Amino acid sequence: MARFKKAGGRAVPGINTGSMSDIIFMFLFFFMVITTIRTSTLLVKIMPPKATEVQKLEKKSLVSFIYIGKPLNAELGTESRIQLNDSYATVASIQAFVAAERQSRNEFDRKLLTTSLKVDADTRMGIVTDVKQELRKASAFKINYSTSKLNKDKL
Amino acid sequence: MADISFLLLTFFLLTSSINTDQGITRKLPPLAPATQKSVNIKDRNVLKVLVNKSDYLLVQGKPINIKELKETVKTFLSNPGNRADFPEKEIKEIQGLGRIAVSKGVISLKNDRGTSYGAYIQVQNELTAAVNELRNELSKQKFGVPFTDLKDEIASEAITKAIPVAISEAEPENIGGK
């Protein structure tokens, strides 16, 4: 620092660091509020469809997610794929996934488990129907089609 | 300085909303047992909605626009003129509402494997919108407030019973291909 100092220049007063903690806390709170904890990294591209009649998912801990969309990795082609947890999966592994999700919750919560289908708007219904059939076989009847909110007057 | 930072903090807290997951909630039917016989539902009680692989809509055999779907479903479920070709009503005793006519109408939704998910959700959205609007109307008529503002649990349960979400999705068939 000293070598930039001009001879005879006015001394710059030091920055008051007394309120630094306030600012840092403010940022901390701000980011705590706006961010949601992402449990898995997405391997598929998902642009959810828009809808007006949406309901909020009440308890996050009681929701398990199934992602369906085109793979982000272009080498895997453009066919829609299913993602469970952190890897690509097939329709056949959904029942095991639901069982594992049930197992990780306590007994009281198991009945309230909701499956949220995060599906890209361009996906064909065939794969979605297959997933729904598997969910029925696994007795996971409560489902939620994830959509983004669209205001009524914009329709 | 601390005052300013707290002011900013409260400002962000008030203006930003927590990003919650949201969507259209549905309940899947249990798998039909192999021995089950097909249930007979009168033709007048069923509204057949078909979405083909090009995302076109067919309601009761007639192609319609997605914008007309909500009104069609509303008139189907409420049957205002008690017409003979629209669903029957059944008088039911519901706690909180008393005796009320509940429509026996069922919406049968069928889609192709090639239907796009976006179109399917749009249709589901319109169906939900129709049910929600009917519930709002009944709620306003009986309790003076829209359904979503009903605080009383008995009242909102009564409305839910009086206008159920009667959407039946047909057992998937392999037609149309990809």
Side-chain angles (χ1 to χ4, degrees), chain A residues 43-45 68-82 88 122-124 126-127 130, chain B residues 113 178:
Chain A
L43 298 172
V44 290
K45 180 180 148 282
I68 307 172
K70 288 176 182 148
L72 282 177
N73 187 347
E75 285 170 19
L76 295 172
T78 54
E79 184 80 18
S80 291
R81 299 284 282 267
I82 304 165
Y88 293 116
D122 285 336
T123 311
R124 301 290 110 186
I127 191 165
D130 291 342
Chain B
R113 285 186 73 83
K178 241 186 70 62

mmCIF file with all atom_site columns, all heavy atoms in Angstrom, chain A residues 43-45 68-82 88 122-124 126-127 130, chain B residues 113 178:
data_model
loop_
_atom_site.group_PDB
_atom_site.id
_atom_site.type_symbol
_atom_site.label_atom_id
_atom_site.label_alt_id
_atom_site.label_comp_id
_atom_site.label_asym_id
_atom_site.label_entity_id
_atom_site.label_seq_id
_atom_site.pdbx_PDB_ins_code
_atom_site.Cartn_x
_atom_site.Cartn_y
_atom_site.Cartn_z
_atom_site.occupancy
_atom_site.B_iso_or_equiv
_atom_site.pdbx_formal_charge
_atom_site.auth_seq_id
_atom_site.auth_comp_id
_atom_site.auth_asym_id
_atom_site.auth_atom_id
_atom_site.pdbx_PDB_model_num
ATOM 1   N N   . LEU A 1 43  ? -30.158 -33.947 -13.816 1.00 0.00 ? 43  LEU A N   1
ATOM 2   C CA  . LEU A 1 43  ? -29.488 -34.513 -14.978 1.00 0.00 ? 43  LEU A CA  1
ATOM 3   C C   . LEU A 1 43  ? -30.350 -34.365 -16.227 1.00 0.00 ? 43  LEU A C   1
ATOM 4   O O   . LEU A 1 43  ? -29.929 -34.698 -17.321 1.00 0.00 ? 43  LEU A O   1
ATOM 5   C CB  . LEU A 1 43  ? -29.193 -36.008 -14.751 1.00 0.00 ? 43  LEU A CB  1
ATOM 6   C CG  . LEU A 1 43  ? -28.258 -36.345 -13.586 1.00 0.00 ? 43  LEU A CG  1
ATOM 7   C CD1 . LEU A 1 43  ? -28.218 -37.834 -13.370 1.00 0.00 ? 43  LEU A CD1 1
ATOM 8   C CD2 . LEU A 1 43  ? -26.865 -35.834 -13.866 1.00 0.00 ? 43  LEU A CD2 1
ATOM 9   N N   . VAL A 1 44  ? -31.576 -33.910 -16.015 1.00 0.00 ? 44  VAL A N   1
ATOM 10  C CA  . VAL A 1 44  ? -32.483 -33.743 -17.151 1.00 0.00 ? 44  VAL A CA  1
ATOM 11  C C   . VAL A 1 44  ? -32.955 -32.294 -17.208 1.00 0.00 ? 44  VAL A C   1
ATOM 12  O O   . VAL A 1 44  ? -33.005 -31.606 -16.199 1.00 0.00 ? 44  VAL A O   1
ATOM 13  C CB  . VAL A 1 44  ? -33.696 -34.694 -17.048 1.00 0.00 ? 44  VAL A CB  1
ATOM 14  C CG1 . VAL A 1 44  ? -33.282 -36.119 -17.264 1.00 0.00 ? 44  VAL A CG1 1
ATOM 15  C CG2 . VAL A 1 44  ? -34.409 -34.532 -15.728 1.00 0.00 ? 44  VAL A CG2 1
ATOM 16  N N   . LYS A 1 45  ? -33.287 -31.863 -18.406 1.00 0.00 ? 45  LYS A N   1
ATOM 17  C CA  . LYS A 1 45  ? -33.758 -30.489 -18.586 1.00 0.00 ? 45  LYS A CA  1
ATOM 18  C C   . LYS A 1 45  ? -35.251 -30.440 -18.256 1.00 0.00 ? 45  LYS A C   1
ATOM 19  O O   . LYS A 1 45  ? -36.041 -31.201 -18.803 1.00 0.00 ? 45  LYS A O   1
ATOM 20  C CB  . LYS A 1 45  ? -33.539 -30.068 -20.038 1.00 0.00 ? 45  LYS A CB  1
ATOM 21  C CG  . LYS A 1 45  ? -33.986 -28.674 -20.365 1.00 0.00 ? 45  LYS A CG  1
ATOM 22  C CD  . LYS A 1 45  ? -33.715 -28.391 -21.834 1.00 0.00 ? 45  LYS A CD  1
ATOM 23  C CE  . LYS A 1 45  ? -34.735 -27.450 -22.417 1.00 0.00 ? 45  LYS A CE  1
ATOM 24  N NZ  . LYS A 1 45  ? -36.018 -28.053 -22.736 1.00 0.00 ? 45  LYS A NZ  1
ATOM 25  N N   . ILE A 1 68  ? -38.564 -36.102 -14.954 1.00 0.00 ? 68  ILE A N   1
ATOM 26  C CA  . ILE A 1 68  ? -38.612 -36.680 -16.295 1.00 0.00 ? 68  ILE A CA  1
ATOM 27  C C   . ILE A 1 68  ? -38.353 -35.573 -17.313 1.00 0.00 ? 68  ILE A C   1
ATOM 28  O O   . ILE A 1 68  ? -39.005 -34.525 -17.273 1.00 0.00 ? 68  ILE A O   1
ATOM 29  C CB  . ILE A 1 68  ? -39.973 -37.342 -16.601 1.00 0.00 ? 68  ILE A CB  1
ATOM 30  C CG1 . ILE A 1 68  ? -40.333 -38.357 -15.513 1.00 0.00 ? 68  ILE A CG1 1
ATOM 31  C CG2 . ILE A 1 68  ? -39.943 -38.031 -17.954 1.00 0.00 ? 68  ILE A CG2 1
ATOM 32  C CD1 . ILE A 1 68  ? -41.728 -38.906 -15.650 1.00 0.00 ? 68  ILE A CD1 1
ATOM 33  N N   . GLY A 1 69  ? -37.418 -35.800 -18.194 1.00 0.00 ? 69  GLY A N   1
ATOM 34  C CA  . GLY A 1 69  ? -37.126 -34.812 -19.227 1.00 0.00 ? 69  GLY A CA  1
ATOM 35  C C   . GLY A 1 69  ? -36.015 -35.303 -20.125 1.00 0.00 ? 69  GLY A C   1
ATOM 36  O O   . GLY A 1 69  ? -35.534 -36.424 -19.981 1.00 0.00 ? 69  GLY A O   1
ATOM 37  N N   . LYS A 1 70  ? -35.632 -34.414 -21.047 1.00 0.00 ? 70  LYS A N   1
ATOM 38  C CA  . LYS A 1 70  ? -34.542 -34.778 -21.944 1.00 0.00 ? 70  LYS A CA  1
ATOM 39  C C   . LYS A 1 70  ? -33.221 -34.667 -21.199 1.00 0.00 ? 70  LYS A C   1
ATOM 40  O O   . LYS A 1 70  ? -33.040 -33.734 -20.422 1.00 0.00 ? 70  LYS A O   1
ATOM 41  C CB  . LYS A 1 70  ? -34.539 -33.851 -23.154 1.00 0.00 ? 70  LYS A CB  1
ATOM 42  C CG  . LYS A 1 70  ? -35.686 -34.145 -24.085 1.00 0.00 ? 70  LYS A CG  1
ATOM 43  C CD  . LYS A 1 70  ? -35.732 -33.160 -25.237 1.00 0.00 ? 70  LYS A CD  1
ATOM 44  C CE  . LYS A 1 70  ? -36.923 -33.483 -26.110 1.00 0.00 ? 70  LYS A CE  1
ATOM 45  N NZ  . LYS A 1 70  ? -37.506 -32.310 -26.724 1.00 0.00 ? 70  LYS A NZ  1
ATOM 46  N N   . PRO A 1 71  ? -32.276 -35.595 -21.449 1.00 0.00 ? 71  PRO A N   1
ATOM 47  C CA  . PRO A 1 71  ? -31.000 -35.534 -20.721 1.00 0.00 ? 71  PRO A CA  1
ATOM 48  C C   . PRO A 1 71  ? -30.240 -34.251 -21.038 1.00 0.00 ? 71  PRO A C   1
ATOM 49  O O   . PRO A 1 71  ? -30.264 -33.773 -22.171 1.00 0.00 ? 71  PRO A O   1
ATOM 50  C CB  . PRO A 1 71  ? -30.237 -36.754 -21.235 1.00 0.00 ? 71  PRO A CB  1
ATOM 51  C CG  . PRO A 1 71  ? -31.227 -37.612 -21.873 1.00 0.00 ? 71  PRO A CG  1
ATOM 52  C CD  . PRO A 1 71  ? -32.350 -36.757 -22.322 1.00 0.00 ? 71  PRO A CD  1
ATOM 53  N N   . LEU A 1 72  ? -29.596 -33.691 -20.016 1.00 0.00 ? 72  LEU A N   1
ATOM 54  C CA  . LEU A 1 72  ? -28.786 -32.490 -20.235 1.00 0.00 ? 72  LEU A CA  1
ATOM 55  C C   . LEU A 1 72  ? -27.549 -32.833 -21.058 1.00 0.00 ? 72  LEU A C   1
ATOM 56  O O   . LEU A 1 72  ? -27.075 -32.031 -21.836 1.00 0.00 ? 72  LEU A O   1
ATOM 57  C CB  . LEU A 1 72  ? -28.362 -31.899 -18.884 1.00 0.00 ? 72  LEU A CB  1
ATOM 58  C CG  . LEU A 1 72  ? -29.415 -31.094 -18.129 1.00 0.00 ? 72  LEU A CG  1
ATOM 59  C CD1 . LEU A 1 72  ? -28.868 -30.644 -16.806 1.00 0.00 ? 72  LEU A CD1 1
ATOM 60  C CD2 . LEU A 1 72  ? -29.850 -29.883 -18.938 1.00 0.00 ? 72  LEU A CD2 1
ATOM 61  N N   . ASN A 1 73  ? -27.043 -34.029 -20.845 1.00 0.00 ? 73  ASN A N   1
ATOM 62  C CA  . ASN A 1 73  ? -25.885 -34.481 -21.591 1.00 0.00 ? 73  ASN A CA  1
ATOM 63  C C   . ASN A 1 73  ? -26.319 -34.867 -23.002 1.00 0.00 ? 73  ASN A C   1
ATOM 64  O O   . ASN A 1 73  ? -27.044 -35.837 -23.200 1.00 0.00 ? 73  ASN A O   1
ATOM 65  C CB  . ASN A 1 73  ? -25.274 -35.687 -20.857 1.00 0.00 ? 73  ASN A CB  1
ATOM 66  C CG  . ASN A 1 73  ? -23.964 -36.123 -21.459 1.00 0.00 ? 73  ASN A CG  1
ATOM 67  O OD1 . ASN A 1 73  ? -23.618 -35.704 -22.554 1.00 0.00 ? 73  ASN A OD1 1
ATOM 68  N ND2 . ASN A 1 73  ? -23.257 -36.948 -20.739 1.00 0.00 ? 73  ASN A ND2 1
ATOM 69  N N   . ALA A 1 74  ? -25.883 -34.098 -23.999 1.00 0.00 ? 74  ALA A N   1
ATOM 70  C CA  . ALA A 1 74  ? -26.367 -34.295 -25.364 1.00 0.00 ? 74  ALA A CA  1
ATOM 71  C C   . ALA A 1 74  ? -25.971 -35.657 -25.936 1.00 0.00 ? 74  ALA A C   1
ATOM 72  O O   . ALA A 1 74  ? -26.614 -36.156 -26.853 1.00 0.00 ? 74  ALA A O   1
ATOM 73  C CB  . ALA A 1 74  ? -25.839 -33.195 -26.262 1.00 0.00 ? 74  ALA A CB  1
ATOM 74  N N   . GLU A 1 75  ? -24.923 -36.248 -25.382 1.00 0.00 ? 75  GLU A N   1
ATOM 75  C CA  . GLU A 1 75  ? -24.481 -37.545 -25.893 1.00 0.00 ? 75  GLU A CA  1
ATOM 76  C C   . GLU A 1 75  ? -25.515 -38.643 -25.644 1.00 0.00 ? 75  GLU A C   1
ATOM 77  O O   . GLU A 1 75  ? -25.472 -39.694 -26.280 1.00 0.00 ? 75  GLU A O   1
ATOM 78  C CB  . GLU A 1 75  ? -23.164 -37.956 -25.236 1.00 0.00 ? 75  GLU A CB  1
ATOM 79  C CG  . GLU A 1 75  ? -21.964 -37.195 -25.775 1.00 0.00 ? 75  GLU A CG  1
ATOM 80  C CD  . GLU A 1 75  ? -20.728 -37.438 -24.944 1.00 0.00 ? 75  GLU A CD  1
ATOM 81  O OE1 . GLU A 1 75  ? -20.709 -38.440 -24.210 1.00 0.00 ? 75  GLU A OE1 1
ATOM 82  O OE2 . GLU A 1 75  ? -19.818 -36.617 -25.020 1.00 0.00 ? 75  GLU A OE2 1
ATOM 83  N N   . LEU A 1 76  ? -26.384 -38.407 -24.696 1.00 0.00 ? 76  LEU A N   1
ATOM 84  C CA  . LEU A 1 76  ? -27.374 -39.429 -24.361 1.00 0.00 ? 76  LEU A CA  1
ATOM 85  C C   . LEU A 1 76  ? -28.618 -39.332 -25.226 1.00 0.00 ? 76  LEU A C   1
ATOM 86  O O   . LEU A 1 76  ? -29.604 -40.021 -24.978 1.00 0.00 ? 76  LEU A O   1
ATOM 87  C CB  . LEU A 1 76  ? -27.754 -39.324 -22.885 1.00 0.00 ? 76  LEU A CB  1
ATOM 88  C CG  . LEU A 1 76  ? -26.626 -39.638 -21.907 1.00 0.00 ? 76  LEU A CG  1
ATOM 89  C CD1 . LEU A 1 76  ? -27.041 -39.318 -20.503 1.00 0.00 ? 76  LEU A CD1 1
ATOM 90  C CD2 . LEU A 1 76  ? -26.238 -41.095 -22.009 1.00 0.00 ? 76  LEU A CD2 1
ATOM 91  N N   . GLY A 1 77  ? -28.595 -38.452 -26.216 1.00 0.00 ? 77  GLY A N   1
ATOM 92  C CA  . GLY A 1 77  ? -29.717 -38.366 -27.123 1.00 0.00 ? 77  GLY A CA  1
ATOM 93  C C   . GLY A 1 77  ? -30.831 -37.480 -26.590 1.00 0.00 ? 77  GLY A C   1
ATOM 94  O O   . GLY A 1 77  ? -30.676 -36.784 -25.583 1.00 0.00 ? 77  GLY A O   1
ATOM 95  N N   . THR A 1 78  ? -31.981 -37.487 -27.277 1.00 0.00 ? 78  THR A N   1
ATOM 96  C CA  . THR A 1 78  ? -33.055 -36.590 -26.905 1.00 0.00 ? 78  THR A CA  1
ATOM 97  C C   . THR A 1 78  ? -34.261 -37.325 -26.334 1.00 0.00 ? 78  THR A C   1
ATOM 98  O O   . THR A 1 78  ? -35.280 -36.724 -26.041 1.00 0.00 ? 78  THR A O   1
ATOM 99  C CB  . THR A 1 78  ? -33.522 -35.778 -28.126 1.00 0.00 ? 78  THR A CB  1
ATOM 100 O OG1 . THR A 1 78  ? -33.840 -36.693 -29.163 1.00 0.00 ? 78  THR A OG1 1
ATOM 101 C CG2 . THR A 1 78  ? -32.451 -34.827 -28.596 1.00 0.00 ? 78  THR A CG2 1
ATOM 102 N N   . GLU A 1 79  ? -34.144 -38.629 -26.202 1.00 0.00 ? 79  GLU A N   1
ATOM 103 C CA  . GLU A 1 79  ? -35.256 -39.396 -25.636 1.00 0.00 ? 79  GLU A CA  1
ATOM 104 C C   . GLU A 1 79  ? -35.435 -39.028 -24.163 1.00 0.00 ? 79  GLU A C   1
ATOM 105 O O   . GLU A 1 79  ? -34.454 -38.918 -23.426 1.00 0.00 ? 79  GLU A O   1
ATOM 106 C CB  . GLU A 1 79  ? -34.931 -40.891 -25.756 1.00 0.00 ? 79  GLU A CB  1
ATOM 107 C CG  . GLU A 1 79  ? -36.027 -41.818 -25.297 1.00 0.00 ? 79  GLU A CG  1
ATOM 108 C CD  . GLU A 1 79  ? -37.115 -41.996 -26.335 1.00 0.00 ? 79  GLU A CD  1
ATOM 109 O OE1 . GLU A 1 79  ? -36.874 -41.697 -27.521 1.00 0.00 ? 79  GLU A OE1 1
ATOM 110 O OE2 . GLU A 1 79  ? -38.197 -42.418 -25.954 1.00 0.00 ? 79  GLU A OE2 1
ATOM 111 N N   . SER A 1 80  ? -36.688 -38.817 -23.717 1.00 0.00 ? 80  SER A N   1
ATOM 112 C CA  . SER A 1 80  ? -36.934 -38.440 -22.322 1.00 0.00 ? 80  SER A CA  1
ATOM 113 C C   . SER A 1 80  ? -36.477 -39.533 -21.374 1.00 0.00 ? 80  SER A C   1
ATOM 114 O O   . SER A 1 80  ? -36.678 -40.716 -21.633 1.00 0.00 ? 80  SER A O   1
ATOM 115 C CB  . SER A 1 80  ? -38.419 -38.177 -22.110 1.00 0.00 ? 80  SER A CB  1
ATOM 116 O OG  . SER A 1 80  ? -38.785 -37.014 -22.790 1.00 0.00 ? 80  SER A OG  1
ATOM 117 N N   . ARG A 1 81  ? -35.844 -39.114 -20.293 1.00 0.00 ? 81  ARG A N   1
ATOM 118 C CA  . ARG A 1 81  ? -35.339 -40.067 -19.314 1.00 0.00 ? 81  ARG A CA  1
ATOM 119 C C   . ARG A 1 81  ? -35.907 -39.760 -17.945 1.00 0.00 ? 81  ARG A C   1
ATOM 120 O O   . ARG A 1 81  ? -36.302 -38.632 -17.652 1.00 0.00 ? 81  ARG A O   1
ATOM 121 C CB  . ARG A 1 81  ? -33.800 -39.991 -19.247 1.00 0.00 ? 81  ARG A CB  1
ATOM 122 C CG  . ARG A 1 81  ? -33.095 -40.309 -20.538 1.00 0.00 ? 81  ARG A CG  1
ATOM 123 C CD  . ARG A 1 81  ? -33.088 -41.793 -20.831 1.00 0.00 ? 81  ARG A CD  1
ATOM 124 N NE  . ARG A 1 81  ? -32.084 -42.484 -20.037 1.00 0.00 ? 81  ARG A NE  1
ATOM 125 C CZ  . ARG A 1 81  ? -30.861 -42.735 -20.439 1.00 0.00 ? 81  ARG A CZ  1
ATOM 126 N NH1 . ARG A 1 81  ? -30.473 -42.337 -21.623 1.00 0.00 ? 81  ARG A NH1 1
ATOM 127 N NH2 . ARG A 1 81  ? -30.009 -43.385 -19.670 1.00 0.00 ? 81  ARG A NH2 1
ATOM 128 N N   . ILE A 1 82  ? -35.920 -40.769 -17.109 1.00 0.00 ? 82  ILE A N   1
ATOM 129 C CA  . ILE A 1 82  ? -36.382 -40.603 -15.734 1.00 0.00 ? 82  ILE A CA  1
ATOM 130 C C   . ILE A 1 82  ? -35.171 -40.439 -14.839 1.00 0.00 ? 82  ILE A C   1
ATOM 131 O O   . ILE A 1 82  ? -34.181 -41.152 -15.004 1.00 0.00 ? 82  ILE A O   1
ATOM 132 C CB  . ILE A 1 82  ? -37.189 -41.830 -15.266 1.00 0.00 ? 82  ILE A CB  1
ATOM 133 C CG1 . ILE A 1 82  ? -38.357 -42.087 -16.208 1.00 0.00 ? 82  ILE A CG1 1
ATOM 134 C CG2 . ILE A 1 82  ? -37.695 -41.654 -13.848 1.00 0.00 ? 82  ILE A CG2 1
ATOM 135 C CD1 . ILE A 1 82  ? -38.976 -43.444 -16.039 1.00 0.00 ? 82  ILE A CD1 1
ATOM 136 N N   . TYR A 1 88  ? -29.871 -41.547 -13.599 1.00 0.00 ? 88  TYR A N   1
ATOM 137 C CA  . TYR A 1 88  ? -30.927 -41.948 -14.516 1.00 0.00 ? 88  TYR A CA  1
ATOM 138 C C   . TYR A 1 88  ? -31.482 -43.304 -14.072 1.00 0.00 ? 88  TYR A C   1
ATOM 139 O O   . TYR A 1 88  ? -30.756 -44.136 -13.532 1.00 0.00 ? 88  TYR A O   1
ATOM 140 C CB  . TYR A 1 88  ? -30.389 -42.071 -15.939 1.00 0.00 ? 88  TYR A CB  1
ATOM 141 C CG  . TYR A 1 88  ? -29.958 -40.756 -16.537 1.00 0.00 ? 88  TYR A CG  1
ATOM 142 C CD1 . TYR A 1 88  ? -28.642 -40.525 -16.873 1.00 0.00 ? 88  TYR A CD1 1
ATOM 143 C CD2 . TYR A 1 88  ? -30.888 -39.750 -16.743 1.00 0.00 ? 88  TYR A CD2 1
ATOM 144 C CE1 . TYR A 1 88  ? -28.243 -39.311 -17.417 1.00 0.00 ? 88  TYR A CE1 1
ATOM 145 C CE2 . TYR A 1 88  ? -30.500 -38.541 -17.273 1.00 0.00 ? 88  TYR A CE2 1
ATOM 146 C CZ  . TYR A 1 88  ? -29.183 -38.329 -17.613 1.00 0.00 ? 88  TYR A CZ  1
ATOM 147 O OH  . TYR A 1 88  ? -28.805 -37.127 -18.137 1.00 0.00 ? 88  TYR A OH  1
ATOM 148 N N   . ASP A 1 122 ? -42.480 -30.629 -22.701 1.00 0.00 ? 122 ASP A N   1
ATOM 149 C CA  . ASP A 1 122 ? -42.418 -31.251 -24.030 1.00 0.00 ? 122 ASP A CA  1
ATOM 150 C C   . ASP A 1 122 ? -42.398 -32.775 -23.985 1.00 0.00 ? 122 ASP A C   1
ATOM 151 O O   . ASP A 1 122 ? -42.394 -33.422 -25.025 1.00 0.00 ? 122 ASP A O   1
ATOM 152 C CB  . ASP A 1 122 ? -41.179 -30.763 -24.781 1.00 0.00 ? 122 ASP A CB  1
ATOM 153 C CG  . ASP A 1 122 ? -41.362 -29.354 -25.283 1.00 0.00 ? 122 ASP A CG  1
ATOM 154 O OD1 . ASP A 1 122 ? -42.535 -28.966 -25.463 1.00 0.00 ? 122 ASP A OD1 1
ATOM 155 O OD2 . ASP A 1 122 ? -40.370 -28.650 -25.472 1.00 0.00 ? 122 ASP A OD2 1
ATOM 156 N N   . THR A 1 123 ? -42.382 -33.333 -22.792 1.00 0.00 ? 123 THR A N   1
ATOM 157 C CA  . THR A 1 123 ? -42.345 -34.787 -22.670 1.00 0.00 ? 123 THR A CA  1
ATOM 158 C C   . THR A 1 123 ? -43.624 -35.391 -23.234 1.00 0.00 ? 123 THR A C   1
ATOM 159 O O   . THR A 1 123 ? -44.701 -34.814 -23.110 1.00 0.00 ? 123 THR A O   1
ATOM 160 C CB  . THR A 1 123 ? -42.216 -35.169 -21.187 1.00 0.00 ? 123 THR A CB  1
ATOM 161 O OG1 . THR A 1 123 ? -41.161 -34.417 -20.628 1.00 0.00 ? 123 THR A OG1 1
ATOM 162 C CG2 . THR A 1 123 ? -41.929 -36.638 -21.005 1.00 0.00 ? 123 THR A CG2 1
ATOM 163 N N   . ARG A 1 124 ? -43.492 -36.552 -23.863 1.00 0.00 ? 124 ARG A N   1
ATOM 164 C CA  . ARG A 1 124 ? -44.696 -37.263 -24.314 1.00 0.00 ? 124 ARG A CA  1
ATOM 165 C C   . ARG A 1 124 ? -45.349 -37.943 -23.118 1.00 0.00 ? 124 ARG A C   1
ATOM 166 O O   . ARG A 1 124 ? -44.675 -38.329 -22.157 1.00 0.00 ? 124 ARG A O   1
ATOM 167 C CB  . ARG A 1 124 ? -44.336 -38.312 -25.364 1.00 0.00 ? 124 ARG A CB  1
ATOM 168 C CG  . ARG A 1 124 ? -43.656 -37.791 -26.601 1.00 0.00 ? 124 ARG A CG  1
ATOM 169 C CD  . ARG A 1 124 ? -44.589 -36.993 -27.462 1.00 0.00 ? 124 ARG A CD  1
ATOM 170 N NE  . ARG A 1 124 ? -44.207 -35.578 -27.419 1.00 0.00 ? 124 ARG A NE  1
ATOM 171 C CZ  . ARG A 1 124 ? -44.908 -34.614 -27.980 1.00 0.00 ? 124 ARG A CZ  1
ATOM 172 N NH1 . ARG A 1 124 ? -46.025 -34.868 -28.590 1.00 0.00 ? 124 ARG A NH1 1
ATOM 173 N NH2 . ARG A 1 124 ? -44.517 -33.369 -27.914 1.00 0.00 ? 124 ARG A NH2 1
ATOM 174 N N   . GLY A 1 126 ? -46.590 -40.832 -22.805 1.00 0.00 ? 126 GLY A N   1
ATOM 175 C CA  . GLY A 1 126 ? -46.360 -42.270 -22.671 1.00 0.00 ? 126 GLY A CA  1
ATOM 176 C C   . GLY A 1 126 ? -45.531 -42.609 -21.458 1.00 0.00 ? 126 GLY A C   1
ATOM 177 O O   . GLY A 1 126 ? -45.929 -43.426 -20.617 1.00 0.00 ? 126 GLY A O   1
ATOM 178 N N   . ILE A 1 127 ? -44.397 -41.951 -21.313 1.00 0.00 ? 127 ILE A N   1
ATOM 179 C CA  . ILE A 1 127 ? -43.488 -42.246 -20.207 1.00 0.00 ? 127 ILE A CA  1
ATOM 180 C C   . ILE A 1 127 ? -44.120 -41.831 -18.877 1.00 0.00 ? 127 ILE A C   1
ATOM 181 O O   . ILE A 1 127 ? -43.972 -42.513 -17.861 1.00 0.00 ? 127 ILE A O   1
ATOM 182 C CB  . ILE A 1 127 ? -42.117 -41.575 -20.450 1.00 0.00 ? 127 ILE A CB  1
ATOM 183 C CG1 . ILE A 1 127 ? -41.082 -42.084 -19.450 1.00 0.00 ? 127 ILE A CG1 1
ATOM 184 C CG2 . ILE A 1 127 ? -42.190 -40.071 -20.410 1.00 0.00 ? 127 ILE A CG2 1
ATOM 185 C CD1 . ILE A 1 127 ? -39.666 -41.762 -19.843 1.00 0.00 ? 127 ILE A CD1 1
ATOM 186 N N   . ASP A 1 130 ? -46.566 -44.463 -17.896 1.00 0.00 ? 130 ASP A N   1
ATOM 187 C CA  . ASP A 1 130 ? -45.861 -45.630 -17.351 1.00 0.00 ? 130 ASP A CA  1
ATOM 188 C C   . ASP A 1 130 ? -45.474 -45.395 -15.900 1.00 0.00 ? 130 ASP A C   1
ATOM 189 O O   . ASP A 1 130 ? -45.642 -46.273 -15.044 1.00 0.00 ? 130 ASP A O   1
ATOM 190 C CB  . ASP A 1 130 ? -44.596 -45.905 -18.178 1.00 0.00 ? 130 ASP A CB  1
ATOM 191 C CG  . ASP A 1 130 ? -44.931 -46.402 -19.572 1.00 0.00 ? 130 ASP A CG  1
ATOM 192 O OD1 . ASP A 1 130 ? -46.081 -46.836 -19.756 1.00 0.00 ? 130 ASP A OD1 1
ATOM 193 O OD2 . ASP A 1 130 ? -44.067 -46.350 -20.456 1.00 0.00 ? 130 ASP A OD2 1
ATOM 194 N N   . ARG B 2 113 ? -50.473 -41.812 -25.833 1.00 0.00 ? 113 ARG B N   1
ATOM 195 C CA  . ARG B 2 113 ? -49.072 -41.858 -25.390 1.00 0.00 ? 113 ARG B CA  1
ATOM 196 C C   . ARG B 2 113 ? -48.254 -40.730 -26.011 1.00 0.00 ? 113 ARG B C   1
ATOM 197 O O   . ARG B 2 113 ? -47.234 -40.324 -25.499 1.00 0.00 ? 113 ARG B O   1
ATOM 198 C CB  . ARG B 2 113 ? -48.445 -43.207 -25.750 1.00 0.00 ? 113 ARG B CB  1
ATOM 199 C CG  . ARG B 2 113 ? -48.896 -44.336 -24.862 1.00 0.00 ? 113 ARG B CG  1
ATOM 200 C CD  . ARG B 2 113 ? -48.132 -45.598 -25.165 1.00 0.00 ? 113 ARG B CD  1
ATOM 201 N NE  . ARG B 2 113 ? -46.755 -45.560 -24.681 1.00 0.00 ? 113 ARG B NE  1
ATOM 202 C CZ  . ARG B 2 113 ? -46.427 -45.842 -23.425 1.00 0.00 ? 113 ARG B CZ  1
ATOM 203 N NH1 . ARG B 2 113 ? -47.341 -46.182 -22.558 1.00 0.00 ? 113 ARG B NH1 1
ATOM 204 N NH2 . ARG B 2 113 ? -45.182 -45.772 -23.036 1.00 0.00 ? 113 ARG B NH2 1
ATOM 205 N N   . LYS B 2 178 ? -45.549 -43.361 -30.373 1.00 0.00 ? 178 LYS B N   1
ATOM 206 C CA  . LYS B 2 178 ? -44.767 -42.275 -29.795 1.00 0.00 ? 178 LYS B CA  1
ATOM 207 C C   . LYS B 2 178 ? -45.190 -40.923 -30.336 1.00 0.00 ? 178 LYS B C   1
ATOM 208 O O   . LYS B 2 178 ? -45.302 -40.720 -31.504 1.00 0.00 ? 178 LYS B O   1
ATOM 209 C CB  . LYS B 2 178 ? -43.303 -42.466 -30.117 1.00 0.00 ? 178 LYS B CB  1
ATOM 210 C CG  . LYS B 2 178 ? -42.457 -42.614 -28.914 1.00 0.00 ? 178 LYS B CG  1
ATOM 211 C CD  . LYS B 2 178 ? -40.996 -42.656 -29.301 1.00 0.00 ? 178 LYS B CD  1
ATOM 212 C CE  . LYS B 2 178 ? -40.503 -41.313 -29.798 1.00 0.00 ? 178 LYS B CE  1
ATOM 213 N NZ  . LYS B 2 178 ? -40.551 -40.230 -28.855 1.00 0.00 ? 178 LYS B NZ  1
#
